[in-house]
Amino acid sequence: MVGRIGKVAVLGSGVMGSGIAAHLANIGIPSLLLDIVPRELTEVEEKKGLTLDDKVVRNRLASEAIAKLQKQKPAPLAKKSNVSLITPGNMDDDMEKLADVDWIVEVVVENLEIKKKVYENVEKYRKPGTIVSSNTSGISIEAMSEGRSEDFKAHFLGTHFFNPPRYLKLLEVIPTKSTKPEVFEFMKTFGEDVLGKGVVEAKDTPNFIANRIGTYGLLVTVREMTKGGYSVGEVDSVTGPAIGRPKSATFRTLDVVGLDTFLHVAKNVYDQVDGEEKDVFDPPAFMKEMAEKGWLGSKSGQGFFLKKKGEKGSEILELDYNTMEYVERKKLKAPSVQQSKQAKGKAAKLKALVYADDRAGELVWNILKPVLLYSAEKAYEIADDVKAIDDAMKWGFGWELGPFETWDAIGVEKSVERLEAEGETVPAWVKEMLQSGKSSFYGEDQEFFHNGEYVKPDINPKVINLKTLKKEDSNVIMKNAGASLIDIGDGVVNLEFTSPNNSIGLDVVQMISKSLDEVEKNYKGLVISNQGKNFCVGANLMMILMEAQDMNYPEIDLVVRQFQQTMAKVRYSGKPVVVGTHGMTLGGGAELSMPASSIQASQETYMGLVEVGVGLIPGGGGNKELYLRHVESLPEGSNIDLQAIANQVFEKIAMAKVGTSAQEAQELGYLRPQDGISVNGDHLLHDAKQKVLHLANSGYQPPERKKIKVVGETGYATMLQGAKALHFGNHISDHDLKIAQKLAFVLAGGRVPKGTEVDEQYLLDLEREAFLSLVAEPKTQQRMQYMLTKGKPLRN
């Protein structure tokens, strides 16, 4: 029987192998990273007098890969110190260590014969019962296991991660005919619950699910581009968010992936299929020429796009594939592009393009048509059902809608009529679905069409879906324009923000307050979380700016007071409040999280007090909360250096430091060691709810109100010294210095002697006064305006 996985061996230290080792390290699992022994010395090694027998040389490939992990962007490591969980080695000297691991994942070069040799070697050292898997992106799993023992085959399967493993959700798990069902089930559960992945079962076919559909779709796009005489930039301008795909669209995505990698994946299918399908997987001559020239994309500095410094600064040029020269980037201009932008909702945006009679409509229809037909034709050959295909494309390629969801969005009946009118062959099962009176692939409540009827998907009990819960009116306890209070069962309720970008305005603040009153009377506790892209990007900046421009400062004062009072209500609530953070948790989002009884953070939480970027300081109690967290983190009875704490907090807020993962947020003090981290974002609500129940059942008591010791006037002067030095060296502007002065004054507790104990309200009043005085500054208003229009900070 399969046990737990406590240690892993990763064979192959390339980008994927080291990325998988980093992902394991992020969740606390140690790994052994092994690669081949180098055949020759580097210049540096020769100068040091090393030989090929030295361990440092023999482990060089794995050691260099581990060093690169600490410099890569986006960071594969959730915090740099996680690297200590990865041990380098080589596949000559360290194979006997495989006897100590619970899972061996092979990530060597994509060559069947090489992989088989590696497995032959693995078999000499692995202990019976150890799981072995391949991260191949498309070589037959069955073929790899040929010649291996029964025990090896029973514990062998494919585990195809997507790059980068920390960020991409998809894990395709591919069993063979010999894989024990319990081994497959264990890896599926381990993939979801421990690795935090969206797991899809794929069949052992060329390139499995996501790469098969994704590569086909990309090559079809290239075909339509050349056939219709569109440019690279024109195609990218309509194949990104306009059709529910990532911003990187088609060719920018290819530049990121690397043309060499893409051509390899395409060849993998080309070698194994026939007929028309084979023709599609044969890339055009210009792409092969690009590869020969080494124009592979981001890694080689140029690909379909080239960033060049011109007279107007940096500009991005696009490749003219007819002349193989770089030219000015174009966008596709057509009436449907504008109509799509103005349309509300994904379906309406797509329909505006797909059914348009212009150049954009023609391109989008000609790209989508073959992908929808191909997905339907291959559906049951490559996967068990349509949902697996949709999930794979969303989780592996970042599509907002999978192929069958896209088909539903544009209308299956209407599009099938058009397809047949154009002489296309629609797979029989799709026509049978329509003839049976079912007009879409998805029914109510996530049900999907399968074998002639709608079936419910297998949903992990750790997944709570707020959208589904809200369909039952009885679950919605109260709501306003900015938030809804939803019953999530077992005496726990969840407050979900529904404002634009989940920003905090007066309506949200009022709902937090009302929800706390409701929970005090009728429930065990409250979760504050949502399932939007980000938890909360901060206060409603537009509202604050408009009031400031109208010089309506009493209104801003009222909003800030209410926010502060509500945050105090969160802190001292008699029932536990757990905030479930994910994505951007900035400014007011962080201020809301810190007073809670506990935080349950998604691994991918980006948390910080960033108000300085818009010319302000935190106004909802954030300065006080971060200072308190630092004080409370020190062991009781220890000699507290208050000045050192004040300096640290001052630096973090003044420099708008953001934790780029939950673990980094913990290092910065936004999260406490006892706050939880959910590796699988889909389980965040469940984990937060369990935390509420645990606190409630353990006899939760709110914290005591205590006076806070501050550094006073001398501490204020000390904090300001550093800011003045930066100002003197022209590193910060006059306005930056003014903000720093206000912040230092608040953190120091104003004009009081060092060591004075003050109450929380006194610090909150100082904070509010500083916030209001900064809001009135023209330069702050310029910063706010710039952030709202450009989406980045202005340094004025």
Side-chain angles (χ1 to χ4, degrees):
M1 197 51 216
V2 182
R4 61 182 283 277
I5 287 177
K7 193 173 182 187
V8 179
V10 181
L11 311 181
S13 68
V15 172
M16 276 308 288
S18 58
I20 291 167
H23 185 64
L24 292 165
N26 291 339
I27 54 183
I29 296 178
S31 67
L32 189 61
L33 185 63
L34 307 183
D35 212 315
I36 57 171
V37 172
R39 294 202 181 98
E40 49 196 45
L41 295 169
T42 63
E43 269 183 56
V44 175
E45 286 166 347
E46 278 177 6
K47 278 178 187 165
K48 286 182 179 172
L50 295 167
T51 72
L52 288 171
D53 294 330
D54 284 304
K55 191 74 174 161
V56 67
V57 174
R58 294 174 75 78
N59 289 353
R60 187 212 309 145
L61 294 179
S63 299
E64 282 180 349
I66 293 168
K68 272 186 203 161
L69 288 174
Q70 297 167 79
K71 297 175 193 147
Q72 270 169 254
K73 291 268 184 281
L77 295 160
K79 62 175 180 184
K80 285 195 172 146
S81 59
N82 287 345
V83 80
S84 65
L85 286 168
I86 310 171
T87 307
N90 68 73
M91 285 195 263
D92 280 7
D93 307 331
D94 299 303
M95 293 299 275
E96 70 277 0
K97 292 177 183 171
L98 298 189
D100 302 328
V101 305
D102 308 298
W103 175 28
I104 299 161
V105 56
E106 166 272 305
V107 204
V108 304
V109 63
E110 287 284 80
N111 175 305
L112 178 59
E113 291 314 310
I114 291 173
K115 286 180 187 287
K116 285 175 84 165
K117 276 184 186 142
V118 168
Y119 294 134
E120 192 181 333
N121 201 12
V122 165
E123 184 132 43
K124 294 172 191 166
Y125 301 99
R126 82 179 259 282
K127 62 179 185 281
T130 302
I131 294 171
V132 184
S133 72
S134 175
N135 181 65
T136 178
S137 55
I139 295 176
S140 166
I141 307 296
E142 203 77 54
M144 283 186 220
S145 63
E146 278 169 16
R148 302 278 56 83
S149 68
E150 289 308 308
D151 184 80
F152 186 102
K153 287 180 176 179
H155 293 87
F156 181 66
L157 69 172
T159 51
H160 182 213
F161 287 82
F162 276 65
N163 192 32
R166 172 181 162 187
Y167 300 97
L168 280 184
K169 186 174 170 178
L170 181 60
L171 175 66
E172 291 177 324
V173 179
I174 311 101
T176 70
K177 294 186 189 85
S178 310
T179 309
K180 277 185 180 176
E182 61 264 36
V183 170
F184 170 74
E185 285 303 327
F186 171 82
M187 282 311 281
K188 192 168 177 277
T189 306
F190 176 77
E192 284 181 16
D193 292 358
V194 182
L195 297 175
K197 295 292 172 195
V199 178
V200 166
E201 179 180 355
K203 292 184 181 175
D204 192 7
T205 54
N207 283 10
F208 313 127
I209 300 173
N211 275 344
R212 182 79 171 263
I213 305 283
T215 310
Y216 180 87
L218 219 144
L219 285 165
V220 158
T221 304
V222 175
R223 183 183 73 187
E224 292 307 322
M225 172 179 78
T226 53
K227 210 157 83 177
Y230 297 89
S231 87
V232 162
E234 284 181 325
V235 170
D236 264 16
S237 67
V238 293
T239 58
I243 61 167
R245 305 277 170 84
K247 270 188 191 157
S248 54
T250 302
F251 295 105
R252 180 78 194 98
T253 299
L254 255 179
D255 274 355
V256 171
V257 168
L259 185 59
D260 51 345
T261 305
F262 175 77
L263 293 177
H264 177 86
V265 171
K267 188 177 185 309
N268 198 36
V269 182
Y270 178 82
D271 289 343
Q272 299 181 65
V273 296
D274 300 302
E276 276 180 49
E277 188 179 1
K278 195 178 188 78
D279 294 341
V280 174
F281 282 95
D282 184 15
F286 82 86
M287 286 174 86
K288 293 172 186 169
E289 190 184 332
M290 285 172 71
E292 281 162 24
K293 287 176 182 280
W295 297 358
L296 306 176
S298 305
K299 59 178 147 191
S300 63
Q302 67 188 97
F304 290 95
F305 295 101
L306 171 69
K307 196 172 187 179
K308 199 174 178 185
K309 280 203 163 48
E311 289 167 22
K312 300 171 188 170
S314 275
E315 59 174 337
I316 294 171
L317 303 174
E318 64 173 66
L319 180 72
D320 179 335
Y321 51 88
N322 293 308
T323 63
M324 296 304 277
E325 286 173 0
Y326 288 94
V327 296
E328 197 175 315
R329 187 162 57 159
K330 299 181 197 71
K331 280 188 175 179
L332 188 48
K333 290 182 172 67
S336 62
V337 175
Q338 280 312 110
Q339 285 160 8
S340 172
K341 279 179 184 167
Q342 285 156 9
K344 292 269 186 287
K346 292 176 200 169
K349 284 179 185 298
L350 255 174
K351 281 178 184 165
L353 280 169
V354 167
Y355 296 117
D357 188 15
D358 60 23
R359 275 190 89 219
E362 197 179 324
L363 176 66
V364 170
W365 171 250
N366 286 339
I367 286 169
L368 280 184
K369 172 171 76 170
V371 173
L372 301 182
L373 289 170
Y374 187 71
S375 300
E377 191 189 306
K378 297 291 168 196
Y380 293 98
E381 180 188 317
I382 64 176
D384 283 335
D385 52 59
V386 296
K387 189 175 186 300
I389 292 175
D390 280 349
D391 285 345
M393 296 319 297
K394 289 188 291 187
W395 297 340
F397 276 73
W399 292 12
E400 270 188 80
L401 301 171
F404 297 100
E405 290 169 326
T406 300
W407 213 335
D408 276 357
I410 65 170
V412 185
E413 286 173 299
K414 185 178 178 181
S415 58
V416 164
E417 270 175 40
R418 181 174 173 182
L419 287 164
E420 295 193 316
E422 290 176 7
E424 300 290 350
T425 305
V426 177
W429 72 268
V430 176
K431 291 174 74 172
E432 282 161 18
M433 178 184 88
L434 293 174
Q435 283 156 9
S436 73
K438 295 178 175 67
S439 59
S440 62
F441 295 100
Y442 288 87
E444 288 295 306
D445 210 14
Q446 297 173 281
E447 290 183 333
F448 60 90
F449 183 78
H450 185 64
N451 291 339
E453 58 184 350
Y454 285 127
V455 297
K456 278 197 182 300
D458 286 333
I459 295 173
N460 189 316
K462 291 182 181 176
V463 175
I464 295 172
N465 189 312
L466 292 177
K467 205 171 170 184
T468 306
L469 283 173
K470 284 195 292 186
K471 284 180 182 168
E472 292 280 334
D473 286 342
S474 58
N475 289 328
V476 181
I477 300 155
M478 60 172 106
K479 65 177 181 179
N480 67 12
S484 306
L485 187 66
I486 304 152
D487 190 336
I488 56 173
D490 302 315
V492 181
V493 287
N494 179 79
L495 182 65
E496 175 196 37
F497 297 172
T498 50
S499 53
N501 291 322
N502 293 334
S503 62
I504 299 172
L506 206 48
D507 49 2
V508 170
V509 172
Q510 285 166 349
M511 272 296 287
I512 298 170
S513 185
K514 282 183 180 176
S515 300
L516 289 164
D517 293 340
E518 178 68 23
V519 168
E520 288 281 2
K521 281 186 265 178
N522 300 315
Y523 294 93
K524 289 183 180 178
L526 172 69
V527 173
I528 302 177
S529 194
N530 59 66
Q531 290 171 328
K533 187 180 172 191
N534 297 303
F535 170 68
C536 174
V537 294
N540 185 336
L541 200 58
M542 175 70 83
M543 180 270 291
I544 295 170
L545 178 62
M546 284 164 69
E547 297 293 358
Q549 286 172 339
D550 291 345
M551 297 180 73
N552 193 356
Y553 299 115
E555 180 64 26
I556 299 172
D557 182 48
L558 174 74
V559 171
V560 176
R561 271 178 202 273
Q562 285 208 359
F563 189 27
Q564 288 184 344
Q565 285 161 4
T566 306
M567 292 310 96
K569 203 168 168 179
V570 168
R571 182 176 242 281
Y572 297 109
S573 162
K575 299 281 179 76
V577 178
V578 174
V579 176
T581 64
H582 61 92
M584 285 195 251
T585 303
L586 303 173
E591 288 184 286
L592 164 61
S593 309
M594 289 192 286
S597 321
S598 186
I599 297 173
Q600 184 69 32
S602 161
Q603 174 88 288
E604 297 308 322
T605 290
Y606 312 107
M607 193 173 193
L609 296 167
V610 295
E611 286 83 352
V612 167
V614 289
L616 296 166
I617 68 164
N623 307 288
K624 178 249 321 171
E625 284 295 337
L626 192 58
Y627 178 70
L628 260 180
R629 281 184 169 231
H630 280 66
V631 172
E632 288 167 355
S633 69
L634 296 168
E636 218 167 300
S638 63
N639 191 12
I640 297 176
D641 181 352
L642 277 185
Q643 187 63 58
I645 287 174
N647 292 350
Q648 276 182 41
V649 175
F650 174 71
E651 188 185 317
K652 282 165 192 172
I653 300 174
M655 295 181 77
K657 287 193 176 177
V658 173
T660 58
S661 70
Q663 291 177 25
E664 266 191 17
Q666 223 160 24
E667 287 185 324
L668 288 168
Y670 295 119
L671 297 180
R672 292 166 297 201
Q674 64 267 37
D675 289 328
I677 296 175
S678 297
V679 182
N680 191 327
D682 292 344
H683 300 176
L684 179 65
L685 262 181
H686 165 271
D687 296 346
K689 175 183 165 180
Q690 293 309 310
K691 188 159 265 195
V692 166
L693 290 170
H694 171 72
L695 290 168
N697 297 336
S698 309
Y700 177 75
Q701 291 297 319
E704 281 177 63
R705 291 179 190 264
K706 289 179 186 169
K707 293 217 166 195
I708 302 164
K709 208 177 263 194
V710 293
V711 290
E713 277 191 289
T714 54
Y716 167 68
T718 306
M719 281 185 266
L720 218 49
Q721 245 173 343
K724 283 182 173 168
L726 286 171
H727 182 250
F728 184 72
N730 287 326
H731 297 297
I732 62 172
S733 67
D734 292 351
H735 194 53
D736 289 323
L737 182 62
K738 185 176 277 187
I739 299 163
Q741 284 169 328
K742 302 274 184 192
L743 174 62
F745 191 76
V746 171
L747 287 171
R751 302 187 193 287
V752 295
K754 184 174 183 176
T756 303
E757 291 191 338
V758 298
D759 61 33
E760 284 184 49
Q761 192 55 51
Y762 168 77
L763 286 178
L764 290 173
D765 290 343
L766 286 181
E767 183 177 292
R768 198 178 69 258
E769 285 160 19
F771 184 90
L772 288 165
S773 70
L774 285 168
V775 162
E777 292 279 345
K779 286 194 171 174
T780 286
Q781 292 179 20
Q782 285 167 16
R783 286 190 181 193
M784 291 162 81
Q785 184 85 50
Y786 195 84
M787 178 61 82
L788 286 165
T789 52
K790 308 274 188 189
K792 54 187 178 185
L794 169 70
R795 288 279 164 245
N796 57 350

